[in-house]
């Protein structure tokens, strides 16, 4: 028997496991099903430290459930369309497919070596035509229901990537991928109608066991506001202006109106005298980023449109302005401005010298500008209605009823959530299965012609130009209309890759199914995902989109589940020297190098032991060398055991057995509460106790030592599978330890020991207490003084002195 050699172990066990294939989901009803999912990977390079972390954490859970006897489904695949691969391929002058599939192979090899309990038979790549055939099919089903549609509007545009972005991909005004300032462009684009689901996306959060932080981000992103619509007549125009307001109670204080300069309405309301000023302003606004427009610090800008509206309650003529702090795509794109109660309106009124009328009484000591707090309504009465004296909530209810009765408005709920803009002007994505015909308009590609495959375009220039590279592939673009046979063209945009990832977890369930995206009966057996593990950067992107998809599929009758992921665990980031790893900082850590130096198990153990899963891991503070030493120590136990295989542990040393069984019981609880690092610490304690039992008695031949060593192997199999398997073999078992079953806990061995404590008063024994062996002096003193017998013995006298010798003796000297 040689030394601990992780390279040899890795080489030895991988083929054995591949042959045994222990992690294939059975789906035969023999055990309760559990769907364990980890976010699939972008093939933009080899595996990195972040993958190593998320896979290691995820695998603790998956392997635990395997040991518990569940029928676990733990699939693996690749999110293989998208910008990162396309940009990298362009840089290297390669075809995105070449680059992507080469990376997938590299990652697959690394993942196999990393020994995650994946069921490889379900592997998928979203860029395979067999996969995206069904992405297209799902698009068409959404299209038929009006949930996919095209419209012209100002959209987020990344000048660097030369493509549009969904709102969710704009982070603080910058492109989520490349960090460039996002600008606006007017384009006709495809959208998914996520807004139809806004309320259900909110309501069903109740079904989710997700980190509160993520739920809150989604809640804010959906942004429900309760308020009202109110209609303002415009002089010389039949159509009124409709506004959305959360403060209808302030209607009497609406002294002017503001419309978004880039909304159609602004162009309609501008008078000939103001046209030039307006045009000039609009040009400036178009060059302004979204983040600037929403900034509260920026000085207000705007232009008078020349038109006037009538305040419906005061009857006053109020000017209509255009200003960029009003956004075209929120509410109705127009507001009633109430400077006395709204800060933005106040600043605007101050700058352009517009009237300010208070309609909520501020407190006596108020010395601010806009008053946004509670208070009674003032200056809010006309011949028909008075709000004066009413508090905000009451005033709101009253005015809404009045507006409603007059046909001037109604109660409404507004959501900040926008429809999901899904078309991209790039090559490496799923083609949109729509054909544009001169006479028929939009014509869906018939289902039996799916997949509508990407043209190869090998050698073509794929660099971003603002129009999809597909548009240049004329032979591909020009087709006969499926309806009338006339001249038609394919849509040349591709889908956002988040479309691909919105349903991949369903494809895993029946990856070879050819009659639809997934077999419904199979999906209903497995869904929802029991536990999803992945990064929180997807909070309002993937995690929201997937929820939308599942709800839409449910409504189509294709799926019973209403939510994709019941539980969510977000891992932290792996950083180095307190900073995110990056090329420019030169602080990157290469996973392959770490594995070469310390072995797979030590790297995995380090990831799991680092701290609570949600915390960042600073690799500079980690000691994979320490992990390796511990693994060697654990492994040596197996070789030291002398009790024969099958020896009866109940004849063994009780003290060691208690530690073993307590460790198993605690480990289960710790895993279920995601305190994996503490679980590892407990395994370490068990290893120490076993070592001590071997060296200092009861000795290596005691059956309790075998039981302890076997338990170490099983617990370690969740984190360090190679070492665990090697120990298991050394202990005389057949592979694989991964499916041997979670150790049975004997409840009798969990009973806490107690010690008898003698309590004396003035040197005489007056009571005996059963206490925990590790009780503190302070607790013991309190317990003794609380005893009825002692109180009786003291008979109202106080104490002069209490001498405590925990856990065995308390001596009380009465006053
Ligand atoms: C009058 C008013 C008076 C308002 C007042 C607020 C306070 P949330 O809560 O975010 O939904 N608003 C409406 N549409 C807008 C748009 N397209 N761009 C910018 N602002 C817009 O905000 C709703 C409030 O934001 C609305 O209520 C409206 O101003 C403004 F004392 O109406 B309020
Ligand atoms: Zn046609």
């Amino acid at each position: 028997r040689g030394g601990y050699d992780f390279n040899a172990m890795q080489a030895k066990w991988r083929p054995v496991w591949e042959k045994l294939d222990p992690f294939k989901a059975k789906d035969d009803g023999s055990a309760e099903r559990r769907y364990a999912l980890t976010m699939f990977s972008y093939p933009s390079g080899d595996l990195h430290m972040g993958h190593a972390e998320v896979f290691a954490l995820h695998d603790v859970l998956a392997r635990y459930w395997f040991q518990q006897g569940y029928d676990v489904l733990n699939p693996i695949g690749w999110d293989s369309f998208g910008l990162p691969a396309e940009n990298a391929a362009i840089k290297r002058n390669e075809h995105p497919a070449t680059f992507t599939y080469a990376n997938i192979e590299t990652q697959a090899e690394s993942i196999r070596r990393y020994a995650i309990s994946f069921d490889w038979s379900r592997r998928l790549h979203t860029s395979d035509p067999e996969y995206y055939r069904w992405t297209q099919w799902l698009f068409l089903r959404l299209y038929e229901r009006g949930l996919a549609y095209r419209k012209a509007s100002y959209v987020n545009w990344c000048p660097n990537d030369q493509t549009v972005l969904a709102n969710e991909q704009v982070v603080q005004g910058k492109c989520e991928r490349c960090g460039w300032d996002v600008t606006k462009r007017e384009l006709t684009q495809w959208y998914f109608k996520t807004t139809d689901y806004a309320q259900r996306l909110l309501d069903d959060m109740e079904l989710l066991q997700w980190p509160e932080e993520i739920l809150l981000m989604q809640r804010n992103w959906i942004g429900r506001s309760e308020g009202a619509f109110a209609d303002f007549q415009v002089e010389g125009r039949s159509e009124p202006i409709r506004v959305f307001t959360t403060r209808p109670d302030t209607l009497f204080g609406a002294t002017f109106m503001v419309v978004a300069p880039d909304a159609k309405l602004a162009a309609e309301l501008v008078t000939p005298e103001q046209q030039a000023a307006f045009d000039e302003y609009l040009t400036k606004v178009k060059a302004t980023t979204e983040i600037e427009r929403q900034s509260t610090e920026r000085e207000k800008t705007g232009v008078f449109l020349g038109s006037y509206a009538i305040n419906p309650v005061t009857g006053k003529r109020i000017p209509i302005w255009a200003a960029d702090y009003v956004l075209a795509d929120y509410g109705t794109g127009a507001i009633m401005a109430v400077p006395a109660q709204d800060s933005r309106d106040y600043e605007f009124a101050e700058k352009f010298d517009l009237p300010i009328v208070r309609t909520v009484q501020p407190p006596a000591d108020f010395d601010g500008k806009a008053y946004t707090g509670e208070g009674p309504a003032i200056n809010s009465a006309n011949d028909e209605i008075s709000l004066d004296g009413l508090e905000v909530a009451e005033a709101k209810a009253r005015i809404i009823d009045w507006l409603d009765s007059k046909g001037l408005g109604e109660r409404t709920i507004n959501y900040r959530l926008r429809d999901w803009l899904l078309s991209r002007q790039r090559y490496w994505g799923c083609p949109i299965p729509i054909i544009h015909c001169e006479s028929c308009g939009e014509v869906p590609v018939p289902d039996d012609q799916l997949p509508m495959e990407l043209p190869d375009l090998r050698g073509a220039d794929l660099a971003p130009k603002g129009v999809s590279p597909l548009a240049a592939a004329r032979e591909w673009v020009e087709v006969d209309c499926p309806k009338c046979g006339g001249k038609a063209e394919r849509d040349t945009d591709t889908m956002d890759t988040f479309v691909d990832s919105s349903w991949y977890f369903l494809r895993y369930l029946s990856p070879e199914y050819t009659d639809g995206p997934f077999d419904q009966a199979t999906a209903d057996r497995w869904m929802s995902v029991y536990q999803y593990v992945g990064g929180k950067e997807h909070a309002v992107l993937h995690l929201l989109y997937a929820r939308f998809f599942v709800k839409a599929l449910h409504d189509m009758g294709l799926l019973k589940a209403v939510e994709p992921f019941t539980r969510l665990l977000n891992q932290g980031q792996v950083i180095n020297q307190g900073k995110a790893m990056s090329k420019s900082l030169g602080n990157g850590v290469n996973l392959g190098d770490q594995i070469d130096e310390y072995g797979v198990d030590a790297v995995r153990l380090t990831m799991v032991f680092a701290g609570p899963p949600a915390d960042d891991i600073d690799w500079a503070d980690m000691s994979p060398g320490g992990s390796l030493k511990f693994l060697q120590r654990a492994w040596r136990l197996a070789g030291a055991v002398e009790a024969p295989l099958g020896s009866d542990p109940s004849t063994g040393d009780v003290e060691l057995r208690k530690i073993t069984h307590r460790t198993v019981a605690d480990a289960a609880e710790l895993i279920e509460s995601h305190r994996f690092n503490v679980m590892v610490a407990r395994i370490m304690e068990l290893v120490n106790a076993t070592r001590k039992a071997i060296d200092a008695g009861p000795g290596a031949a005691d059956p309790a030592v075998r039981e302890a060593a076997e338990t170490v192997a099983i617990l370690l199999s969740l984190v360090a599978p190679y070492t665990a398997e090697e120990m298991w073999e050394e202990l005389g078992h057949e592979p694989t330890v991964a499916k041997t079953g979670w150790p049975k806990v004997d409840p009798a061995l969990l009973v806490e020991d107690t010690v008898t404590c003698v309590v004396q008063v003035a040197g005489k024994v007056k009571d005996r207490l059963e206490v925990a062996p590790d009780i503190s002096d302070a607790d013991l003193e309190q317990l003794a003084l609380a005893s009825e017998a002692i109180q009786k013995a003291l008979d109202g006298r106080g104490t002069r002195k209490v001498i405590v010798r925990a856990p065995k003796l308390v001596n009380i000297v009465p006053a």
Side-chain angles (χ1 to χ4, degrees), residues 435-441 443 480-488:
I435 287 166
H436 300 280
C437 167
E438 280 171 11
S439 41
C440 311
V443 181
D480 296 337
C481 169
K483 237 191 209 163
C484 71
K487 244 178 91 182

Side-chain angles (χ1 to χ4, degrees), residues 697-720:
D702 190 291
V705 168
R706 166 169 280 279
E707 183 185 39
E710 290 186 348
T711 302
V712 167
I714 296 171
L715 297 182
L716 267 188
S717 75
L718 313 188
V719 189

Side-chain angles (χ1 to χ4, degrees), residues 52 114 591 594-595 598-608 619:
Y114 205 55
L591 174 62
Q594 297 291 307
I595 289 178
Y598 304 106
V600 166
D601 283 359
V603 170
R604 288 180 56 152
L605 183 81
T606 305
M607 293 291 185
V608 175
W619 200 252

Side-chain angles (χ1 to χ4, degrees), residues 25 33 40 49 138 151 194 218 311 326 331 436 544 637 648 653 657 677 711 736:
R33 293 179 182 82
F40 64 169
M49 298 295 279
L138 288 166
K151 76 169 176 199
T194 42
Q218 289 208 352
N311 180 314
V326 173
H436 300 280
L544 195 61
L637 294 180
D648 180 5
D653 179 65
R657 294 202 73 210
N677 56 321
T711 302
T736 170

Side-chain angles (χ1 to χ4, degrees), residues 279-551:
D279 290 346
E280 193 187 324
Y281 184 61
L282 185 59
T283 311
K284 274 194 220 135
V285 170
K286 282 187 184 159
T288 313
T289 64
E290 193 81 356
I291 189 148
E292 287 169 324
R293 284 183 67 164
Q294 292 192 50
S295 158
T296 47
E297 262 111 80
R298 217 166 119 255
E299 175 149 341
K300 295 276 170 293
T301 60
V303 63
F304 177 46
L305 291 176
S307 306
Y308 288 86
I310 306 296
N311 180 314
V313 284
T314 63
K316 288 215 173 91
R317 211 174 164 241
I318 59 175
I320 307 172
W321 287 66
D324 67 1
Y325 76 95
V326 173
L327 307 173
D329 61 358
Y330 186 68
T332 62
I335 66 160
M336 65 179 208
V338 186
Q341 271 87 226
D342 182 282
S343 316
R344 295 166 303 176
D345 298 345
Y346 191 98
E347 286 168 28
F348 195 84
E350 239 187 356
K351 171 146 181 202
F352 294 105
D353 210 9
L354 294 158
I356 299 171
V357 178
R358 285 211 185 280
T359 57
V360 178
Q361 179 67 57
D365 58 355
F366 180 74
D367 57 3
K369 298 176 168 182
Y371 176 65
T372 57
E374 295 288 324
I378 52 171
N379 301 324
S380 297
N382 64 21
D383 297 346
E384 287 183 39
I385 175 165
S386 170
L387 307 177
D388 285 346
L390 297 180
E391 291 295 322
V392 172
E394 270 178 289
K396 274 187 191 172
R398 179 79 61 87
I399 190 74
I400 293 173
D401 287 345
W402 185 83
L403 285 168
D404 208 340
S405 70
K406 293 270 161 188
L408 292 174
E410 63 199 303
R411 192 178 307 276
T412 187
I413 292 162
N414 199 58
Y415 300 90
R416 198 155 282 280
L417 183 70
R418 299 288 71 148
D419 282 340
W420 170 10
L421 197 177
L422 71 107
S423 34
R424 297 288 177 275
Q425 293 67 49
R426 299 295 299 258
Y427 170 70
W428 192 236
C430 175
I432 292 172
I434 294 286
I435 287 166
H436 300 280
C437 167
E438 280 171 11
S439 41
C440 311
E442 289 165 7
V443 181
V445 174
D447 284 357
D448 62 9
Q449 290 173 31
L450 299 179
M452 178 174 121
E453 284 197 49
L454 273 177
D456 187 296
L457 295 194
R458 221 158 274 271
D461 176 17
L462 300 179
K465 293 179 238 18
V467 280
S468 170
L470 292 179
R474 296 313 299 172
E475 259 172 56
W476 180 84
V477 171
E478 287 163 17
V479 284
D480 296 337
C481 169
K483 237 191 209 163
C484 71
K487 244 178 91 182
E489 297 201 345
R490 294 184 199 275
D491 199 291
T492 57
D493 285 351
T494 52
M495 295 186 211
D496 181 2
T497 46
F498 282 109
V499 183
D500 311 327
S501 56
S502 287
W503 72 281
Y504 77 109
F505 45 90
L506 292 165
R507 187 65 186 166
Y508 276 146
L509 302 175
S510 42
E512 259 123 57
Y513 193 63
T514 51
D515 295 336
F518 51 87
D519 172 55
Q520 185 169 359
T522 310
D524 288 340
R525 282 198 299 277
W526 286 100
M527 285 296 285
S528 306
V529 170
Y530 184 85
Q531 173 78 60
Y532 200 18
V533 182
K536 59 182 165 210
E537 66 276 14
H538 292 298
V540 295
L541 292 155
H542 167 58
L543 290 172
L544 195 61
Y545 295 148
R547 295 185 64 212
F548 160 74
F549 253 73
V550 163
K551 290 187 187 307

Side-chain angles (χ1 to χ4, degrees), residues 677-722:
N677 56 321
V678 186
M679 186 239 348
V680 170
R682 299 304 306 279
I683 304 176
M684 291 174 171
E685 284 167 25
L686 179 58
V687 168
N688 290 343
T690 314
R691 186 78 250 168
K692 208 170 126 202
I694 293 170
D695 294 345
D702 190 291
V705 168
R706 166 169 280 279
E707 183 185 39
E710 290 186 348
T711 302
V712 167
I714 296 171
L715 297 182
L716 267 188
S717 75
L718 313 188
V719 189
Y722 292 107

